[in-house]
Amino acid sequence: MIYFNCDYNEGAHERILEALVKTNMEQTSGYGADPYCLEAAELLKKQCKREDVDVHFLVGGTQTNLTVIASALRPHQGILAAETAHINVHETGAIEGCGHKVLSLSSKDGKLTADQVEQAYLAHKTEPAAEHMVQPKMVYISNPTELGTIYSREELQKLHEVCSSHHLILFMDGARIGYGLEAEGNTLDLPCIAECCDVFYIGGTKAGALFGEAVIIRNPAIKEDFRYIMKQKGAMLAKGRLLGIQFLELFRDGLYFEMAAHADRMADRLRTAFRANGYHFLVENTTNQMFPILPDGHLEALKKEFSFEYQAKVDETHTAVRFCTSWATREEQVERLVEKLKTL
Amino acid sequence: MIYFNCDYNEGAHERILEALVKTNMEQTSGYGADPYCLEAAELLKKQCKREDVDVHFLVGGTQTNLTVIASALRPHQGILAAETAHINVHETGAIEGCGHKVLSLSSKDGKLTADQVEQAYLAHKTEPAAEHMVQPKMVYISNPTELGTIYSREELQKLHEVCSSHHLILFMDGARIGYGLEAEGNTLDLPCIAECCDVFYIGGTKAGALFGEAVIIRNPAIKEDFRYIMKQKGAMLAKGRLLGIQFLELFRDGLYFEMAAHADRMADRLRTAFRANGYHFLVENTTNQMFPILPDGHLEALKKEFSFEYQAKVDETHTAVRFCTSWATREEQVERLVEKLKTL
Amino acid sequence: MIYFNCDYNEGAHERILEALVKTNMEQTSGYGADPYCLEAAELLKKQCKREDVDVHFLVGGTQTNLTVIASALRPHQGILAAETAHINVHETGAIEGCGHKVLSLSSKDGKLTADQVEQAYLAHKTEPAAEHMVQPKMVYISNPTELGTIYSREELQKLHEVCSSHHLILFMDGARIGYGLEAEGNTLDLPCIAECCDVFYIGGTKAGALFGEAVIIRNPAIKEDFRYIMKQKGAMLAKGRLLGIQFLELFRDGLYFEMAAHADRMADRLRTAFRANGYHFLVENTTNQMFPILPDGHLEALKKEFSFEYQAKVDETHTAVRFCTSWATREEQVERLVEKLKTL
Amino acid sequence: MIYFNCDYNEGAHERILEALVKTNMEQTSGYGADPYCLEAAELLKKQCKREDVDVHFLVGGTQTNLTVIASALRPHQGILAAETAHINVHETGAIEGCGHKVLSLSSKDGKLTADQVEQAYLAHKTEPAAEHMVQPKMVYISNPTELGTIYSREELQKLHEVCSSHHLILFMDGARIGYGLEAEGNTLDLPCIAECCDVFYIGGTKAGALFGEAVIIRNPAIKEDFRYIMKQKGAMLAKGRLLGIQFLELFRDGLYFEMAAHADRMADRLRTAFRANGYHFLVENTTNQMFPILPDGHLEALKKEFSFEYQAKVDETHTAVRFCTSWATREEQVERLVEKLKTL
């Protein structure tokens, strides 16, 4: 059985484990106040080409989303997000658990447009009964989105402009950010993201680390006392250095981007094969996730050898499914699937 | 200027004030442990024709909604509600403020169907990643709804059946319940509501009291320690007897229903006049709210003499607005509007 | 039976009821946006001798405490308060329900000193593991306190200085503020309180109104969007004018202070009588509450005619109890008790 | 510099790392639904000698405490805990952040007695204004406590009896449970703990794992939907198998207990040396933490070679500090300190 379910089926890149083994018996302070975390933070600042950001390391994505949001909002404020947003659908109400409403906006491709955000903001602002409604204060986007699509530089800059002019906080969930930055057609880079977003994070869990998300905060109000809120939310790892060591390894010589590029190329190969065999996609994208639509019979045949995820029923006889590649995907695994597709 | 904006523009029915004046200097215990609250609770049990309910008196609707929901749910559980539901739109995230997600379902008339509820429940239950999603546990309905529509006895019983079979809690917001029970075509009554709902409330604020909502709880799990949660949420009135005295007056000889019936007849008269003049409604209903669609020019003309509320833009030149009657609406006010409509 | 349990055994001063009756059938906007609330707010600003405060009207004390605190603090911040503080003991965890820890400090008389506050602040600030602890950010005091004691002008100013220099928010619960301002030995007034506190409130519920607390906010950060948070917490009364009308009546010609002075004089009379009969007090004070210590046998004798509250067991055979006077206490009630004490 | 600050200065036992390396490229399901977690859960059930418990793996202690408590309590319920309890002092209000008050009880040695718990419970139950107070519903204990002391079998059984008879939930924080079970004088074991506690956890983070806490739940109400609440609180690790693999390694042949025993023997050696040199302890204990009281001058001398933690100022010239041993402490490190003590 070959797994294309998700990008966290395996452990970590071998260099990650080597780094952990090598440093294992050193004695350091806990809670992220160790030399590895400090060095990794400096490295990520350089990646973002700015000194005025704070860097914190957390363990997982839901934890990171709720900690950032709890840190940024007052009780009556909510978050504009695509209806497909991870925080809206797949975090068991983690954000509501911190007291905040997710204000979902319709989206076909998982992205929000600057216009949508501005309209939602203005609709609230001009509403006579505004005080009876949740105040939109943050805009949550993912890059890549839950549907594997990416924002262009222009789209992100427009979102930034709208947010800035209306004092909205722009937050990018970058759980799969590497896969976005290495995708065909990508025009973003970390410095641009750091400039446009008040806060964003660089995901390790789905990109070759054992676990770990690096939060980059530019907005001073969110920076303040962020570690208190990490601790309160159970998001401050005792042996924090495990995060610093991993991010150091990921970024000291480009391993993070290499792994993402590999996964994206594997995905490109698969997409080409799906298309060559006449399949369409639920949504067009260029990152490590794809959502082909297959006749249900073909799915049954595939299931015998491959593991993948259900996404949506498209019609009586067709279903969209998700195939994911990752840093760990091997060419022979992809070729096996490519060959199989030809036989269906 | 005549106000048709809402059903709480005035104070209270004169008998309410008389009762407050008459009892004013009596000394009683606070927090609802006085003879008036006890007697009013007994009276409401009789109205519901059952002894196995608990009755509590709170001050306002949002407060009641959040107290009931906080009392009933565990952190990961959410509330199925129409997208137009008061808790979803007009309570500044009060429910999310208590940690719970409102899971909104589409609805044209403000109502939920038993089928919708069952589908939403089953979709969650059969979802492989259910644990990553908010668990639907409560169903929130309003009768009348925010759009002035009402549930039939059959519709409510079906909702009850679906909820019972799937261990969902059925909660009815009855802020305007009287206007529903006296509406043309109504087939519900308090005993049926008490039987079908785990918990519901009888609104006083919008129905002739100064303020006050009477919560009727049939579900034993919600009954337990309900007063603790009232206190925690700031919903336990120090001079609780003010609530008991009012509900006693409302229900001791039918005043509550008389006032509601009066408002509904006034509304019927207005609806007939709108129709007679060729206007249509955003939604058909028979309670004390109506949502006629008027050309914008007509609205301008009406605004000089009458106050009403904006509901929705229908097209370039037409707008749906809300007119409300209430226990306090006088026939001459209605007739003035009826005459005015003829002139447009 | 004569009640000395508390200061909310009766309804309201007759002038309050008259004002409600007189305005009853007027039509106004809801939610506190009516002319009465606006006028009452202006009147209270004048009482405080400053224009730079916002005034909001809420229904009860717990509701007010939780709304103010939710509005002022970020998630990791807590409230320094005397161990006897109402928010620490008697609100069923309302503050924790909003996510904030009450950091209690020991106190024999219910008061906090500026020194205590500064020490607690510095202890946190100099703690190496500060991020693992709740950050003290607000100081909650009551005047009079739960033990009926009052702050002097000098004490309050010192608290203000310490709070200002350490960016702590000073919040005064004034549920019984009138009884404090009219007490023998009082050196405070509303302008001084408004100057020293970031936010405080003037209680109506325990001082002659049916209900109502007027929040006065000087701190701009707490002012911002306060009405949103009121609505979210269920603290925005639909018929908000009921609060404005009452506060107008209380303050337009000094009725509030007259009633408080009356209660304090009645309490002085009772205190003198207790002392004359050889009783001591759990704590010395000069406001409308007193806590005499009586032999248990005497308590049994008193209970036949008088209602009062248990406070604390002092030793095997003595108990401290609470007697309260109020705006509604009549001289003959006090004299009956004075006479009775002589017979014990 | 030799670190005796805490028991998480290093990474993990080498066997833990070997197990992670060995399994690294296997493909498994995420979120704890993998064969390693299932096998580890079975192994821990066997350790507890009962089948009727659920086992879940979380990452850290604060996260575990808040998830368990959020899962177990309704909004108005609080937790009885020693004033020194980790949840009361060192979790930045994580429990209050979930809405619950920690009701602290005084304790000299970090332990609660069954009598204390019963008195607190009865004090609440017999309080006339109980509804105005947080309801004690859970009892939180740590074994060993934050002061390194341990419960005897008899003490734990008495706590269990009191809790059972009053429907209180008994929750043991076992972040250092191994160090307790291997301590001189210990009379507890896992089966007894599993029988007495509704829920407890076995700490990995401080006991030789990279991270990880294994929650053992006996109480059916807490079992229900526990994974939903884990997910909501950000406590469900994507690559959950990392936890299963570690706990398997810790418990498959007794490594966990061996490491704890080693640390305890190292601590015994140190305690003997402190005593031999005439030092006293802030509190007597037998686990891997000790709190010797030293003249400030001696501390200065020690600081040049050893790292340890400040605990409390004892008098003008003496300070209590914390020395910790762990699974990773080497004999030569201990001997260096023993020799040093002789020179002071």
Side-chain angles (χ1 to χ4, degrees), chain C residues 17-134:
Chain C
L17 286 175
E18 285 162 14
L20 291 175
V21 169
K22 191 176 143 204
T23 56
N24 188 48
M25 290 308 291
E26 293 177 20
Q27 291 193 312
T28 64
S29 299
Y31 305 114
D34 62 274
Y36 295 104
C37 284
L38 299 180
E39 196 182 337
E42 285 309 309
L43 194 53
L44 290 179
K45 287 183 190 181
K46 273 188 201 121
Q47 294 278 335
C48 295
K49 294 195 179 148
R50 54 197 310 155
E51 277 301 304
D52 67 343
V53 292
D54 281 1
V55 180
H56 298 279
F57 300 102
L58 288 82
V59 170
T62 296
Q63 187 183 88
T64 303
N65 287 333
L66 75 87
T67 303
V68 166
I69 290 171
S71 182
L73 299 186
R74 291 178 68 207
H76 62 298
Q77 299 175 330
I79 307 103
L80 294 169
E83 58 194 350
T84 50
H86 205 262
I87 57 167
N88 193 41
V89 184
H90 283 109
E91 303 190 352
T92 323
I95 307 309
E96 291 81 5
C98 294
H100 302 288
K101 191 177 186 77
V102 179
L103 301 158
S104 67
L105 300 175
S106 65
S107 170
K108 295 227 158 143
D109 60 0
K111 292 162 65 176
L112 293 182
T113 68
D115 273 2
Q116 260 185 312
V117 166
E118 185 153 49
Q119 279 164 32
Y121 170 80
L122 293 175
H124 177 80
K125 209 190 163 186
T126 59
E127 163 66 50
E131 295 164 344
H132 295 236
M133 292 171 166
V134 171

Side-chain angles (χ1 to χ4, degrees), chain C residues 270-286:
Chain C
L270 271 184
R271 260 186 297 264
T272 304
F274 276 112
R275 274 200 201 92
N277 289 284
Y279 299 109
H280 293 91
F281 294 92
L282 189 67
V283 59
E284 291 294 326
N285 65 34
T286 59

Side-chain angles (χ1 to χ4, degrees), chain D residues 130-163:
Chain D
E131 295 164 344
H132 295 237
M133 293 172 166
V134 171
Q135 184 185 72
K137 185 66 183 174
M138 179 183 264
V139 175
Y140 167 97
I141 57 174
S142 311
N143 190 63
T145 67
E146 289 71 18
L147 294 174
T149 52
I150 54 174
Y151 287 86
S152 71
R153 182 175 288 254
E154 196 190 347
E155 288 168 337
L156 186 63
Q157 284 169 339
K158 275 193 185 165
L159 276 166
H160 169 59
E161 281 161 30
V162 162
C163 288

Side-chain angles (χ1 to χ4, degrees), chain C residues 76-244:
Chain C
H76 62 298
Q77 299 175 330
I79 307 103
L80 294 169
E83 58 194 350
T84 50
H86 205 262
I87 57 167
N88 193 41
V89 184
H90 283 109
E91 303 190 352
T92 323
I95 307 309
E96 291 81 5
C98 294
H100 302 288
K101 191 177 186 77
V102 179
L103 301 158
S104 67
L105 300 175
S106 65
S107 170
K108 295 227 158 143
D109 60 0
K111 292 162 65 176
L112 293 182
T113 68
D115 273 2
Q116 260 185 312
V117 166
E118 185 153 49
Q119 279 164 32
Y121 170 80
L122 293 175
H124 177 80
K125 209 190 163 186
T126 59
E127 163 66 50
E131 295 164 344
H132 295 236
M133 292 171 166
V134 171
Q135 183 185 74
K137 185 66 182 176
M138 179 182 263
V139 176
Y140 167 96
I141 57 174
S142 311
N143 190 63
T145 67
E146 288 72 18
L147 294 174
T149 53
I150 54 175
Y151 286 86
S152 70
R153 180 176 288 253
E154 197 190 347
E155 288 168 336
L156 186 63
Q157 285 169 338
K158 276 192 183 165
L159 275 166
H160 169 59
E161 281 161 29
V162 163
C163 288
S164 293
S165 65
H166 299 311
H167 304 291
L168 298 170
I169 296 163
L170 185 55
F171 171 31
M172 180 189 284
D173 173 336
R176 293 189 170 99
I177 204 168
Y179 299 128
L181 296 179
E182 295 298 326
E184 198 192 311
N186 169 63
T187 53
L188 284 177
D189 55 24
L190 289 178
C192 172
I193 292 170
E195 193 180 333
C196 289
C197 297
D198 292 83
V199 51
F200 75 103
Y201 61 97
I202 299 172
T205 304
K206 294 170 177 172
L210 284 175
F211 53 83
E213 314 292 313
V215 179
I216 317 286
I217 312 177
R218 187 176 50 72
N219 182 316
I222 305 174
K223 282 180 191 175
E224 192 177 344
D225 293 339
F226 191 78
R227 281 173 57 84
Y228 279 86
I229 295 181
M230 284 174 62
K231 179 63 191 169
Q232 185 185 70
K233 301 306 180 190
M236 189 184 276
L237 191 63
K239 297 179 183 173
R241 75 186 198 188
L242 301 177
L243 295 160

